[in-house]
Amino acid sequence: MDFLPVLLWTDALFFLLLVIGAVTVFFVRRSEPLSAAWRKVGRRATGMASATILLAFLVVGVLDSLHYRPQLPPVEGAQAAYSSEVLSALDALLAPLRTRVEKTYSAPFAAELYARETVELPEGGQARIYPRLQHGAAHLADPEAQRPADVGKRLAVGAMIAVPAWLVAVLGVAAGVAGRSGGGLLRAVGAIVRGETTLAWRAALVTLGAIFLVVGCAIALAPAYHVFGTDKVGQDVLYLALKSVRTALVIGTLTTLVMLPFAIGLGILAGYLGGWVDDAIQYVYTVLNAIPAVLLIAAAVLMMQVVIDTHPEWFATAAERADARLLALCLILGITSWTGLCRLLRGETLKLRELDYVEAARAFGVRTPAILRRHILPNVMHIVLIALVMDFSGLVLAEAVLSYVGIGVDPTTISFGTMINAARAELAREPMVWWSLLAAFVFMFVLVLSANLFADVVRDAFDPRRA
């Protein structure tokens, strides 16, 4: 093969979560109460629009989780050898952005470097000028005069790419609506336009159209320009922002995989059993809450970093080493963030254990594990779901803050936090380099806002008090 597949620990756990999500969808479709609650989410325009944006981010994360090591140029008489550099399917798709490296900073859509350099003039002597970029706007002989028309033409090409793809999506959704309703395709399209479908497909398709338009314009512009400029070492900032999406998703999702067993198990046991079990669990999460979270996380991350540094033989590549620290950060955040959900589940279980059907089960001699599994756990899952969706954005922001102060992901791991940390020094220079911070802010803002809006809709749909 031309490449060697690589499965990192975070890749395996991320795909495991996707499988769990698919299984959950299967069971939701078989449960009428759960299906009815999710239909409430789908009827809200905000829910469908935010879900569409989150799905787009998920596609980027999945592509960036398919890792491989490319094969080195073959040597006659030698076995196939593979590079120590670990790439992903997203890297392959973004190869023009990844490989078009400039010398240093350049502004968005610029044709010259952002800093002056001393060059030798052909007629002799020296001058301080802004050198032309090797790749950005290199196809233009006179960038100042030709760039506006060239950018406009490429934006039109991007729109021409986006519109047909969007129309295909509209027809696909209309065909599905027509199949369910038994009407014709045109009638289904009219129902979508008027917003008369069971689910808010109009909002989803409008959002999808905006996503296609942005992607189409990026596809048309990125081969010729650095849309978000370049950083200190000349890397394309748009490429860095897209690579940061996977880190944010991994932090936001894998942390929940660690947090759930502690929160659900201890919360339900504390609320149902009471007595010394309740006192012991309350003591544990009270002590954890009393310790400043940043100090606890910093101590754990530094201890884990010492373990990683003293055992280099555990890792075949630098990517595996960075992945180990990312996984460790997920474990640490999960272990330190379960207390809030545990407290909520304890309070809900205290109420549920006094209900008639639970007391009847105890009176008939049903064992405690069976009562917890059949009567308590299903009735607290709405709290679990609401808490998980609402905590996602907090975990994404936590990674950015921790990486900013230097105790987050490995410095070689691209993330929103490392981009913001690098932008800290760039903002203090003259002239100011602002585009790295802007790119990280835009992507993180859209991701967190979509997660928060989706969380609000899920809370309204699953909270019994809002029914």
Side-chain angles (χ1 to χ4, degrees):
M1 288 193 301
D2 294 336
F3 62 91
L4 179 67
V6 175
L7 184 65
L8 303 176
W9 277 104
T10 53
D11 296 338
L13 294 174
F14 187 55
F15 290 132
L16 176 61
L17 279 177
L18 293 180
V19 171
I20 293 174
V23 173
T24 302
V25 170
F26 174 76
F27 282 106
V28 166
R29 292 175 63 90
R30 298 180 60 184
S31 171
E32 183 54 35
L34 290 176
S35 297
W38 279 109
R39 279 195 294 271
K40 292 181 182 178
V41 175
R43 292 191 189 103
R44 295 275 298 274
T46 305
M48 291 293 283
S50 57
T52 304
I53 298 174
L54 292 176
L55 184 60
F57 278 107
L58 181 62
V59 170
V60 174
V62 170
L63 290 175
D64 204 17
S65 297
L66 300 172
H67 288 103
Y68 66 94
R69 292 166 60 183
Q71 185 177 359
L72 295 174
V75 178
E76 186 176 354
Q79 293 183 345
Y82 297 92
S83 171
S84 60
E85 183 182 16
V86 177
L87 302 177
S88 69
L90 185 66
D91 288 317
L93 291 175
L94 301 179
L97 298 182
R98 181 174 61 87
T99 57
R100 291 164 58 246
V101 179
E102 305 292 351
K103 190 173 182 179
T104 185
Y105 297 113
S106 66
F109 294 96
E112 303 87 14
L113 289 177
Y114 201 58
R116 293 179 183 269
E117 289 187 356
T118 302
V119 298
E120 299 288 340
L121 297 176
E123 61 273 10
Q126 296 179 336
R128 297 276 294 174
I129 65 170
Y130 294 103
R132 283 292 300 268
L133 298 177
Q134 296 180 6
H135 306 286
H139 63 294
L140 301 179
D142 184 2
E144 294 300 324
Q146 297 175 326
R147 183 166 42 205
D150 185 66
V151 170
K153 182 173 67 176
R154 290 179 180 274
L155 289 175
V157 171
M160 292 173 63
I161 295 173
V163 170
W166 181 71
L167 290 177
V168 170
V170 171
L171 292 177
V173 171
V177 172
R180 287 181 174 273
S181 63
L185 185 63
L186 292 179
R187 181 176 297 179
V189 172
I192 293 173
V193 171
R194 294 188 298 271
E196 297 175 353
T197 53
T198 304
L199 303 180
W201 285 116
R202 181 174 62 182
L205 289 172
V206 170
T207 306
L208 187 64
I211 294 173
F212 281 169
L213 186 61
V214 171
V215 172
C217 293
I219 292 174
L221 290 170
Y225 300 95
H226 298 291
V227 177
F228 277 110
T230 57
D231 64 359
K232 186 176 183 179
V233 296
Q235 284 187 298
D236 192 281
V237 174
L238 176 60
Y239 169 75
L240 298 178
L242 290 171
K243 290 286 288 183
S244 300
V245 170
R246 176 185 180 270
T247 305
L249 293 179
V250 167
I251 292 289
T253 56
L254 294 193
T255 302
T256 63
L257 193 64
V258 179
M259 178 182 67
L260 280 181
F262 293 97
I264 295 177
L266 296 179
I268 290 177
L269 287 177
Y272 185 79
L273 297 179
W276 68 269
V277 175
D278 187 18
D279 293 339
I281 293 174
Q282 285 192 75
Y283 179 80
V284 170
Y285 68 60
T286 301
V287 170
L288 279 177
N289 283 336
I291 303 174
V294 174
L295 295 181
L296 186 61
I297 294 171
V301 167
L302 294 176
M303 290 170 57
M304 183 60 66
Q305 188 61 42
V306 170
V307 174
I308 293 173
D309 291 340
T310 53
H311 296 85
E313 69 278 3
W314 290 357
F315 314 105
T317 62
E320 293 181 5
R321 183 178 181 274
D323 186 72
R325 178 159 172 174
L326 177 59
L327 180 60
L329 182 61
C330 294
L331 294 173
I332 294 163
L333 286 174
I335 293 173
T336 56
S337 61
W338 59 270
T339 56
L341 179 57
C342 180
R343 185 184 291 109
L344 290 175
L345 295 180
R346 173 186 173 272
E348 186 70 11
T349 305
L350 285 172
K351 180 182 71 175
L352 292 174
R353 73 176 186 178
E354 304 298 332
L355 297 181
D356 293 341
Y357 63 88
V358 177
E359 292 185 349
R362 282 199 297 264
F364 279 106
V366 179
R367 297 175 64 86
T368 297
I371 293 176
L372 295 178
R373 185 178 68 254
R374 297 175 184 173
H375 302 300
I376 303 298
L377 183 60
N379 287 289
V380 299
M381 287 308 295
H382 68 282
I383 296 179
V384 174
L385 181 61
I386 293 170
L388 292 184
V389 177
M390 296 188 70
D391 286 347
F392 173 83
S393 56
L395 292 169
V396 173
L397 294 174
E399 181 276 323
V401 173
L402 293 174
S403 296
Y404 176 76
V405 298
I407 56 174
V409 298
D410 190 85
T412 60
T413 300
I414 303 173
S415 73
F416 295 126
T418 55
M419 289 181 66
I420 294 172
N421 188 32
R424 175 179 54 180
E426 296 170 354
L427 292 175
R429 73 187 300 275
E430 182 61 37
M432 182 176 65
V433 177
W434 48 267
W435 48 86
S436 294
L437 181 63
L438 175 66
F441 171 78
V442 169
F443 276 78
M444 192 163 59
F445 174 78
V446 174
L447 176 59
V448 172
L449 178 63
S450 301
N452 285 341
L453 292 176
F454 188 70
D456 289 341
V457 177
V458 170
R459 180 194 60 202
D460 293 343
F462 281 85
D463 192 343
R465 291 170 298 183
R466 296 173 181 265

